Amino acid sequence: MRKTLPLAVVVAAAAALVVPGVSSAAPVHEVQWVACPADVALPGLECGKLQLPLDYRKPQGRKTEVMITRLASKNPEKRRGILLTNPGGPSEGLTFPFVLKALGLPQSVQDAYDIIGMDPRGIGYSSPSTCDLTEEQMAAGSVPPYAVKPSDVRKRADETKKMAEQCLASSTADALPYNTTANIARDLDSVRAALGEKTASFLGYSYGTYLGSVYATLFPKSSDRVVIDSNLPASGWDVEGGRLMARGVEDTFPDFAQWAAAHPEYHLGTTPQQVRAKYFDLAGRLDAKPSVEGINGQAFRMLTFAGLYGTGDAAFSKLAASWKAFDTNQPQPPQDYPEVPRIQALLAGRLHVICGDSEWPSSVRTYERNVALDRVRYPMFGAAAANIQPCAFWPKPVEKQVQLSDRGPRNILMVQNERDPATPLAGAYSTRRAFGDRAAMLTVDQGGHGAYVIGKNQCANDKVTSYLVDGRFPTHDVKC
């Protein structure tokens, strides 16, 4: 995978911008079909590149390169259009059509659509961003570490300020003001037009729900059937959206606790209450003395958070085995980690987007108060989710944040697990209210992050497939 402006230059450039729109006279861009990179060359995938406006206010100006993939329908009689997809993140999306197929995306959906993947601008093969992050900085990821002591917030503030300064001084800093969800949504519509389609359907998960929401808001006439699964709140991944992860852990953990209590071979407790107590016991022990592999309590909490993304025996047995290793001071079971260069490009691009979408509080004291409050409200993960991010030291966004709108067709199907560690139901309700009659929400009685084809609820999977293929949209909010 591939791969200094002073802060004052970036800020000055940002201040000169107004809200960019897409003119009806804007040119239709062309797709250049190319050989897929080696790590994207999967059966059935075609790869293409587009040169799109870096700033849509200046459609003839500087371009940014966006790469897409296509998993084409092989049934012309049943094909009805294209299905734009996004896996969340913000992260790479080129292989996502293949991933969906491998997860069991129904053949009827594959027949109905050419399924389109895309690396969002600034990420992966789409003019990737860099912040010149060190391995230690990358290890922190995009979810903050747990603040064990109040002073940890101030320490983290120093670290995140340096990360922001690196992003703003990097070789890709000049693109920073334009790598936003609003512009990624405009890129999606440019892809639609370049493929010769009057409308496009959309399937997005996690962060992809916010992207799909912005797309449906900016382009109500060209958005066809929209499915958004595991929903961020209406304001996207802002400071409050990030804090919601703490509630998500509290909502979801009882599923794992009940499972672990029913599996005494892991010795984590014989009741859900004992398993919960084991969480705090292990976190405290690892805070005081890291494991044999140097894993501390912060990393343990993050590992548990990630482990709750899955559900059922496969996911929970893996998490339980990890806990057992910590409890007995043994090495961790093998874990799969992405290559460091991929993490670099991913985290830099993600910071561009979430920090550029909305204005985050700049006062360190605000985060200290949030951490103190959420440590009490959500003791398992509150002091992590509320901790400070590099966005606190970011320039003010150049464009007013897109406000989700109820103006447009009734075509947005929201899908939401009742227990989700990263995007809890409480946040989904916010988006549901913003869309009003444009949306219907399908809540699913299961845990984990991701419902459609990722989860095992056949009722939910059938309802989403029926909408995508046959257009059967619920007359009211429903539950599976």
Side-chain angles (χ1 to χ4, degrees):
M1 173 97 38
R2 351 170 234 176
K3 345 181 195 182
T4 304
L5 292 182
L7 172 60
V9 174
V10 176
V11 174
L17 294 177
V18 296
V19 177
V22 180
S23 167
S24 59
V28 174
H29 305 278
E30 295 184 359
V31 179
Q32 177 189 2
W33 295 103
V34 298
C36 290
D39 56 344
V40 182
L42 296 167
L45 284 186
E46 305 169 89
C47 291
K49 294 180 179 179
L50 297 89
Q51 303 298 318
L52 300 178
L54 180 65
D55 175 5
Y56 275 90
R57 189 191 63 160
K58 301 175 181 177
Q60 304 296 343
R62 181 182 164 187
K63 299 297 188 286
T64 187
E65 185 171 271
V66 171
M67 179 168 273
I68 65 169
T69 54
R70 177 171 64 187
L71 184 65
S73 166
K74 293 182 172 60
N75 194 329
E77 293 183 0
K78 294 185 177 180
R79 183 190 181 278
R80 67 178 312 276
I82 61 172
L83 180 66
L84 304 169
T85 65
N86 183 274
S91 61
E92 302 161 341
L94 293 180
T95 62
F96 196 49
F98 181 85
V99 170
L100 286 169
K101 180 179 179 179
L103 286 171
L105 185 70
Q107 188 61 48
S108 58
V109 178
Q110 298 180 53
D111 290 341
Y113 298 97
D114 293 346
I115 303 170
I116 308 300
M118 184 176 84
D119 277 358
R121 57 168 61 201
I123 295 175
Y125 287 101
S126 292
S127 297
S129 305
T130 182
C131 289
D132 299 317
L133 301 174
T134 65
E135 289 195 27
E136 184 178 5
Q137 288 171 326
M138 287 187 283
S142 54
V143 178
Y146 191 94
V148 179
K149 307 181 296 295
S151 60
D152 289 342
V153 179
R154 296 188 293 275
K155 178 183 176 183
R156 176 66 178 167
D158 293 337
E159 296 167 350
T160 56
K161 183 177 183 180
K162 182 172 177 56
M163 291 173 67
E165 289 171 345
Q166 289 171 208
C167 291
L168 296 165
S170 74
S171 59
T172 58
D174 54 347
L176 180 148
Y178 312 100
N179 289 351
T180 62
T181 297
N183 278 332
I184 296 170
R186 294 176 180 117
D187 292 342
L188 286 175
D189 205 59
S190 295
V191 169
R192 172 201 60 77
L195 293 174
E197 302 288 338
K198 290 185 178 180
T199 62
S201 293
F202 180 88
L203 172 63
Y205 297 77
S206 194
Y207 161 78
T209 64
Y210 183 60
L211 173 60
S213 296
V214 172
Y215 178 67
T217 297
L218 292 178
F219 301 100
K221 293 182 179 179
S222 58
S223 61
D224 187 13
R225 297 171 184 173
V226 177
V227 177
I228 48 178
D229 185 321
S230 306
N231 292 267
L232 282 168
S235 56
W237 189 350
D238 61 359
V239 64
E240 294 303 324
R243 290 177 73 184
L244 276 174
M245 294 178 186
R247 177 165 180 173
V249 170
E250 298 285 352
D251 289 348
T252 311
F253 185 79
D255 287 354
F256 171 69
Q258 185 174 2
W259 185 93
H263 289 77
E265 64 270 25
Y266 294 102
H267 304 287
L268 302 178
T270 58
T271 67
Q273 294 78 12
Q274 289 178 352
V275 176
R276 182 179 172 90
K278 177 64 73 174
Y279 173 88
F280 293 106
D281 171 55
L282 289 174
R285 284 158 53 187
L286 291 166
D287 284 336
K289 182 181 179 181
S291 72
V292 292
E293 296 166 301
I295 299 175
N296 61 17
Q298 294 175 336
F300 163 75
R301 294 177 181 94
M302 190 65 65
L303 185 149
T304 300
F305 169 65
L308 295 174
Y309 271 48
T311 188
D313 288 347
F316 287 166
S317 61
K318 186 176 181 180
L319 181 57
S322 177
W323 276 35
K324 183 178 179 181
F326 284 125
D327 196 31
T328 57
N329 203 28
Q330 298 297 313
Q332 284 290 296
Q335 303 285 342
D336 294 325
Y337 296 107
E339 300 170 8
V340 166
R342 300 183 76 95
I343 301 175
Q344 172 76 252
L346 173 63
L347 292 181
R350 186 172 294 178
L351 286 175
H352 277 219
V353 175
I354 67 172
C355 299
D357 277 351
S358 62
E359 189 170 359
W360 291 58
S362 59
S363 168
V364 177
R365 289 185 179 180
T366 297
Y367 297 93
E368 290 177 321
R369 287 194 297 268
N370 290 349
V371 165
L373 176 62
D374 287 1
R375 180 183 284 114
V376 176
R377 292 199 302 172
Y378 309 118
M380 299 190 76
F381 204 64
N387 205 350
I388 194 166
Q389 294 264 38
C391 302
F393 305 100
W394 218 255
K396 185 176 180 180
V398 301
E399 178 181 349
K400 185 178 179 181
Q401 188 171 14
V402 175
Q403 300 297 309
L404 305 190
S405 172
D406 60 358
R407 295 187 296 275
R410 182 172 167 79
N411 66 340
I412 301 169
L413 179 59
M414 299 177 60
V415 187
Q416 182 68 38
N417 288 338
E418 291 187 350
R419 302 174 299 283
D420 186 312
T423 55
L425 186 60
Y429 283 141
S430 165
T431 295
R432 176 68 187 88
R433 290 190 296 270
F435 277 130
D437 289 339
R438 286 199 69 184
M441 188 157 79
L442 169 61
T443 54
V444 188
D445 184 10
Q446 64 185 11
H449 191 51
Y452 182 55
V453 306
I454 296 173
K456 305 302 182 184
N457 188 298
Q458 196 60 48
C459 164
N461 288 336
D462 288 347
K463 287 185 182 298
V464 177
T465 297
S466 179
Y467 176 49
L468 287 173
V469 175
D470 301 317
R472 294 175 186 164
F473 192 82
T475 57
H476 51 80
D477 291 353
V478 294
K479 181 177 178 178
C480 282

